[in-house]
Amino acid sequence: MDKLFYFPVTAAPFRQDEKYKEVLPQNLGLSKYIRCFWGSIKPYFKKDTPENIVIPDTCADIIYYIDYTENKIDGIFCGINDTGFYEKDNTKNGHLVSVFAIRFYAWAAYKFSEDSMKETINRFRDVQFLFGWLDRIIRQQLFHKPFLEERAVMAEEIFLKYMPNARQNNIIDNAAGNLILGKGAINVAGLADSCFISSRQLERVFNEYAGITPKKLINLVRYQFLWNEILSNKELDILDAVYRYGYTDQSHLIREFKRFHTMGIQKAKEYARNNVGNIQYFHNRN
């Protein structure tokens, strides 16, 4: 599955500042599994900041919080989430801090994990429980590599070396590929048929390797395709979107978008517009 077919984004996809920037993997093979590396460009002194909206982006993240003042590193794994919520930066004010994170496509994180993805949806776990091998390598280098770009290069080299040991499950890989090609406009039975297995088998595979049910992931992928279209078009033809993405009707589309995004379509666009680092990029797309 090529990342060109699917590029999920956040509620503030044009944001780029000292506290948040995304770096895409340079290796094409790795980009099939890792959506991006992200974090603060360099260490900064923490100040009070407003809450951020977190929307379901069909990804799972390993996040490292580095506190230079306390000489401490916290690493957590955030499983795929199926609801929107508000997040507050809880690092301590006045401390010199930085953030480095790895954002996996949720159905690909298992390749680098040492355990099942069961019960990881909407949950946070110590990164050592699922990615102990990675934590042992990367944690010790974070203090010595303070800049996002060099951390991304470091992480990419680590993953490329690990690739021969990556776990493999053809069913989850094929199912994810078929789901993306269908842009989420598919039901569970159809997705199972495309993989030549039963719906019950598909449920078990998704639970083990993605930590989410096929039905939930189908809805989230559809929502992400819709969100990308909303961002790309000045005026969304809702009736056309209802048809192409398999919503029941206009009300179904609007209701489901608001459930995932915490707000309606127009407010979502305004939020994205007001959280912009590269203003020219936003205008080019709108």
Side-chain angles (χ1 to χ4, degrees):
M1 178 175 50
D2 195 309
K3 71 172 184 177
L4 295 176
F5 289 110
Y6 186 63
F7 197 74
V9 295
T10 66
F14 312 112
R15 178 186 173 191
Q16 181 175 306
D17 54 41
E18 67 168 0
K19 297 179 183 178
Y20 184 89
K21 180 182 178 182
E22 295 180 2
V23 177
L24 300 181
Q26 296 303 297
N27 181 274
L28 184 59
L30 199 60
S31 69
K32 297 177 182 179
Y33 314 124
I34 296 177
R35 159 64 176 79
C36 67
F37 305 103
W38 63 270
S40 50
I41 296 175
K42 60 182 180 179
Y44 63 95
F45 286 99
K46 169 65 167 47
K47 299 178 181 179
D48 268 332
T49 54
E51 291 183 321
N52 295 314
I53 297 174
V54 178
I55 62 173
D57 60 2
T58 65
C59 293
D61 297 67
I62 290 175
I63 309 176
Y64 284 101
Y65 298 96
I66 302 95
D67 188 322
Y68 297 86
T69 303
E70 292 189 352
N71 195 36
K72 182 178 70 172
I73 298 177
D74 292 323
I76 60 172
F77 173 71
C78 308
I80 185 173
N81 63 293
D82 65 351
T83 185
F85 61 94
Y86 287 81
E87 180 185 52
K88 178 72 174 179
D89 183 353
N90 291 320
T91 53
K92 295 181 179 179
N93 286 344
H95 283 209
L96 183 64
V97 299
S98 69
V99 178
F100 177 65
I102 303 154
R103 180 169 294 153
F104 301 96
Y105 294 103
W107 50 82
Y110 84 90
K111 291 181 176 292
F112 307 101
S113 72
E114 297 172 314
D115 205 346
S116 167
M117 292 289 116
K118 287 180 181 178
E119 300 180 352
T120 57
I121 186 171
N122 298 325
R123 292 191 179 184
F124 302 91
R125 299 188 64 182
D126 190 309
V127 68
Q128 297 179 36
F129 286 109
L130 292 170
F131 301 88
W133 72 272
L134 175 64
D135 186 69
R136 288 188 292 272
I137 299 172
I138 203 171
R139 183 184 290 261
Q140 60 185 339
Q141 300 189 50
L142 291 174
F143 275 127
H144 305 296
K145 297 181 183 295
F147 300 106
L148 176 61
E149 298 287 348
E150 62 182 349
R151 287 172 173 175
V153 170
M154 170 194 67
E156 187 157 348
E157 291 175 352
I158 292 171
F159 282 115
L160 288 174
K161 288 180 181 178
Y162 187 81
M163 279 304 298
N165 301 313
R167 299 166 67 195
Q168 184 72 28
N169 184 280
N170 290 332
I171 294 177
I172 192 71
D173 294 347
N174 291 337
N178 292 334
L179 173 56
I180 298 308
L181 288 174
K183 296 185 177 181
I186 189 172
N187 58 32
V188 175
L191 186 59
D193 287 344
S194 72
C195 298
F196 305 102
I197 61 173
S198 69
S199 296
R200 181 171 296 181
Q201 285 177 296
L202 188 68
E203 290 270 355
R204 287 198 296 266
V205 170
F206 267 68
N207 185 41
E208 174 71 21
Y209 292 96
I212 191 172
T213 67
K215 183 177 181 179
K216 284 184 177 180
L217 187 57
I218 286 170
N219 289 338
L220 294 181
V221 167
R222 175 171 64 178
Y223 155 73
Q224 270 292 331
F225 272 108
L226 175 63
W227 177 223
N228 265 276
E229 185 169 338
I230 289 169
L231 292 167
S232 299
N233 297 329
K234 290 183 178 180
E235 297 294 335
L236 175 70
D237 187 330
I238 291 184
L239 292 179
D240 183 53
V242 166
Y243 172 76
R244 284 186 294 103
Y245 295 121
Y247 289 98
T248 304
D249 52 32
Q250 181 174 328
S251 296
H252 181 209
L253 182 153
I254 293 172
R255 184 172 63 252
E256 187 162 287
F257 180 88
K258 188 172 184 178
R259 177 164 66 91
F260 290 143
H261 214 97
T262 76
M263 61 182 68
I265 290 174
Q266 188 56 40
K267 285 189 176 180
K269 289 195 71 171
E270 291 173 2
Y271 181 86
R273 185 183 300 115
N274 292 332
N275 288 270
V276 174
N278 187 340
I279 191 71
Q280 186 61 45
Y281 178 57
F282 179 85
H283 287 312
N284 286 343
R285 292 189 62 175
N286 288 271

